[in-house]
Amino acid sequence: MPGNAFGELFRVATFGESHGPALGAVVEGCPPGLSLDAADIQRDLDRRRPGQSRYTTQRREADEVEILSGVFEGETTGTPIGLLIRNTDQRSKDYSEIKDKFRPGHADYTYWKKYGRRDYRGGGRASARETAMRVAAGAIARKFLADRLDITIRACLEAMGEVRLERRDWSAVPDNAFFSPDPDRVPELEAALNAVRKQGDSIGAQIYVEALGVPAGLGEPVFDRLEADWARALMGINAVKGVAVGDGFDVVGQRGSVHGDEMDASGFLSNHAGGVLGGISTGQPLTARVAIKPTSSIQVPRRSLDVHGNEVEVVTKGRHDPCVGIRAVPIVEAMTALTLMDHFLRDRAQNGERGDG
């Protein structure tokens, strides 16, 4: 199936299904000499891992990554890095009742129309389970960017349903189940999600992400614009329905006298553009927001069709996130890292080890 790889010079191809024996990835283009072991990757995987709180799916997966190739004596060799995560807690029987039904909001119908068949067990290839490999590959990119370029990538929950959060304390993000930068609002998030879950329903979320320390000059001016490739990377995450770079849709109500980021001898005086001008990074923080739809697997009865064209009622049982956006935070970070890593290598290939222009 095409479309299973991302990137040009730093290229990641993933394989595997939600209820198959394993998930895997092949990472090509990582420069040699990067210090790397499984623990470097596992840290990010543990942040995405299911079953860590009562607010996410209770599927119990250790998500322990195995490095199969491309690393020798603790350093990358420059050859393809093979990664594997074994599935250990599949419950395929949970999906037997919907194997011939199209779940509203899922890819069931479109997969059926495209391929004439589908893996109904947890969504198969369309499952968010696949994103574990993106996080694993992204951890390699993140480590290179941090070690060699001092780039920091971080994301947090900015909204869940009607609860809107402020970025008050980044240090609190890893210390709560919601990746909230506003720790005093966590009880509100808990109450909101408990109410939704009791109704058998789900809710959407908004993620904020930023990359600090990105040098000026990454990206291309026309088709391979940095923000275009970044938006594509973020839109490729399961359940993402919107991406806004910088001020995003707020620019509709702005005047040019406000939106254009002025400069003086000290540098830029604002960052409405989100760190990109003309498709090329400005040296300011890259900023974006990601809108994630409510989880499609819910227990509220809904109307649909089966594979024979009959009208049916669908109720999805099993273990599902009432808000899939919560665990999307490390995935958003990973896709940001993969985008920046690829563009760094592309810039180096074109311009060499140039200094500031």
Side-chain angles (χ1 to χ4, degrees), residues 18-19 95 103 106-108 111 119-127:
S18 174
H19 285 233
Y95 299 90
R103 295 167 295 175
H106 270 284
D108 300 343
Y111 265 56
D119 183 348
Y120 62 85
R121 304 166 303 166
R125 184 69 175 151
S127 170

Side-chain angles (χ1 to χ4, degrees), residues 68 115 130 144 199 310 344:
L68 305 180
Y115 303 108
E130 178 271 339
F144 183 95
Q199 296 166 358
N310 301 313
F344 167 73

Side-chain angles (χ1 to χ4, degrees), residues 271-302:
N271 191 19
H272 298 291
V276 186
L277 290 171
I280 301 170
S281 61
T282 64
Q284 294 175 279
L286 296 183
T287 65
R289 289 171 172 81
V290 183
I292 300 176
K293 71 177 184 177
T295 314
S296 297
S297 294
I298 60 176
Q299 296 183 35
V300 176
R302 292 171 293 168

Side-chain angles (χ1 to χ4, degrees), residues 99-347:
K99 67 183 183 69
D100 293 325
K101 300 176 181 179
F102 300 129
R103 295 167 295 175
H106 270 284
D108 300 343
Y109 177 76
T110 51
Y111 265 56
W112 182 265
K113 297 301 287 187
K114 183 174 180 66
Y115 303 108
R117 66 199 72 236
R118 68 183 175 93
D119 183 348
Y120 62 85
R121 304 166 303 166
R125 184 69 175 151
S127 170
R129 179 95 185 104
E130 178 271 339
T131 61
M133 300 318 304
R134 306 190 202 190
V135 172
I140 299 173
R142 183 206 289 264
K143 190 172 193 302
F144 183 95
L145 294 170
D147 290 358
R148 304 292 176 86
L149 300 174
D150 200 25
I151 292 175
T152 298
I153 299 168
R154 60 187 186 181
C156 64
L157 184 71
E158 192 169 60
M160 189 188 76
E162 297 180 355
V163 181
R164 303 281 158 169
L165 306 172
E166 294 185 35
R167 295 190 301 279
R168 296 182 181 276
D169 185 1
W170 275 103
S171 68
V173 172
D175 295 332
N176 64 83
F178 294 90
F179 297 95
S180 171
D182 196 349
D184 292 341
R185 305 288 298 282
V186 168
E188 287 182 63
L189 295 168
E190 293 174 339
L193 205 55
N194 284 333
V196 167
R197 187 168 53 183
K198 286 179 181 178
Q199 296 166 358
D201 216 331
S202 61
I203 198 166
Q206 180 171 295
I207 306 300
Y208 171 82
V209 59
E210 63 183 24
L212 310 176
V214 177
L218 300 189
E220 303 294 339
V222 186
F223 297 115
D224 294 333
R225 299 165 69 94
L226 180 60
E227 76 268 45
D229 283 354
W230 189 22
R232 174 177 176 265
L234 297 174
M235 282 294 297
I237 299 172
N238 312 58
V240 169
K241 284 298 183 181
V243 173
V245 176
D247 284 358
F249 287 96
D250 290 343
V251 302
V252 175
Q254 292 177 352
R255 299 287 183 93
S257 54
V258 172
H259 179 76
D261 296 314
E262 295 183 84
M263 302 180 71
D264 66 11
S266 67
F268 286 97
L269 303 181
S270 59
N271 191 19
H272 298 291
V276 186
L277 290 171
I280 301 170
S281 61
T282 64
Q284 294 175 279
L286 296 183
T287 65
R289 289 171 172 81
V290 183
I292 300 176
K293 71 177 184 177
T295 314
S296 297
S297 294
I298 60 176
Q299 296 183 35
V300 176
R302 292 171 293 168
R303 296 181 298 168
S304 189
L305 299 175
D306 64 18
V307 296
H308 308 292
N310 301 313
E311 294 185 353
V312 295
E313 183 179 83
V314 176
V315 174
T316 307
K317 299 178 182 179
R319 302 163 296 175
H320 307 287
D321 294 81
C323 178
V324 72
I326 296 173
R327 287 197 299 128
V329 168
I331 306 168
V332 166
E333 293 175 348
M335 295 309 296
T336 300
L338 292 176
T339 303
L340 290 175
M341 182 70 186
D342 191 45
H343 269 280
F344 167 73
L345 293 179
R346 289 157 67 175
D347 182 71

